[in-house]
Amino acid sequence: MSKSPVPGATGAASQGSAPAGPANASRPAQARPAQARPAQGPAASAATAGLVKPAPKAKVRRAKLMISKVDPWSVLKMSFLLSVALGIVTVVAALVLWTVLDLTGIFNQVNKLVGDVAGSESGGFDLRKVASLGQVVSFSTIIAVVNVVLLTAISTLSAVLYNLAATLVGGVGVTLTDD
């Protein structure tokens, strides 16, 4: 067995615990101290009672804030982006709905129903000519553009009106808490 500066430690353990390299070549290798087990008995519990303390209960922090101003420029930017996203969803939903109606044969059933109700004088009604895919996508795009303009304008106007009302009443109170 090799001799070690710490009693009870072997040479392999002492060499493994010290970092290797030229900086530590002049210093003797030291082993990590062994984990001490807590002593048993009433004297030991009195000595360790001061060391082990229960964690204090976390206090819930509360912050009462007032929203006294909303920046109209940031509201304009956010409402524009959100309304553009809503417009894209509108056009895609109209396209998907038309495709599903076409694949399930709803247009053929409506054409047959209109032909049965109107009789032979209807002249062969075709719903696909009235509501073709191009017409549906064009109409939904127009609706989406109008919604973008209206929603952006209404949101910005709402922010300005909120700022005016907040100067009179002080704003909206919000309480934030830590969980």
Side-chain angles (χ1 to χ4, degrees):
M1 278 197 143
S2 66
K3 297 210 177 196
S4 169
V6 178
T10 64
S14 65
Q15 289 174 357
S17 64
N24 292 332
S26 63
R27 284 191 274 161
Q30 296 181 0
R32 285 190 271 176
Q35 295 288 335
R37 290 186 182 178
Q40 305 294 330
S45 64
T48 59
L51 297 177
V52 179
K53 295 180 183 176
K57 247 186 181 177
K59 295 180 182 177
V60 176
R61 294 186 301 173
R62 295 178 192 265
K64 292 184 180 182
L65 304 172
M66 296 293 285
I67 301 175
S68 60
K69 184 179 185 294
V70 178
D71 186 26
W73 179 247
S74 65
V75 169
L76 178 111
K77 292 187 290 186
M78 280 302 295
S79 64
F80 176 74
L81 288 176
L82 291 174
S83 60
V84 165
L86 183 65
I88 292 170
V89 167
T90 302
V91 172
V92 170
L95 177 69
V96 167
L97 182 63
W98 191 92
T99 305
V100 167
L101 290 176
D102 187 36
L103 291 176
T104 56
I106 299 293
F107 291 137
N108 294 333
Q109 291 178 359
V110 169
N111 289 339
K112 184 179 176 190
L113 179 66
V114 169
D116 290 344
V117 169
S120 60
E121 39 196 68
S122 70
F125 176 77
D126 190 14
L127 185 59
R128 283 195 194 116
K129 289 182 183 175
V130 175
S132 68
L133 179 61
Q135 290 173 334
V136 167
V137 171
S138 298
F139 185 68
S140 65
T141 304
I142 291 169
I143 297 253
V145 168
V146 169
N147 275 340
V148 166
V149 171
L150 286 177
L151 287 174
T152 304
I154 288 172
S155 325
T156 308
L157 181 64
S158 298
V160 170
L161 290 175
Y162 176 80
N163 288 339
L164 290 174
T167 57
L168 296 175
V169 251
V172 174
V174 179
T175 302
L176 303 174
T177 60
D178 248 354
D179 280 340

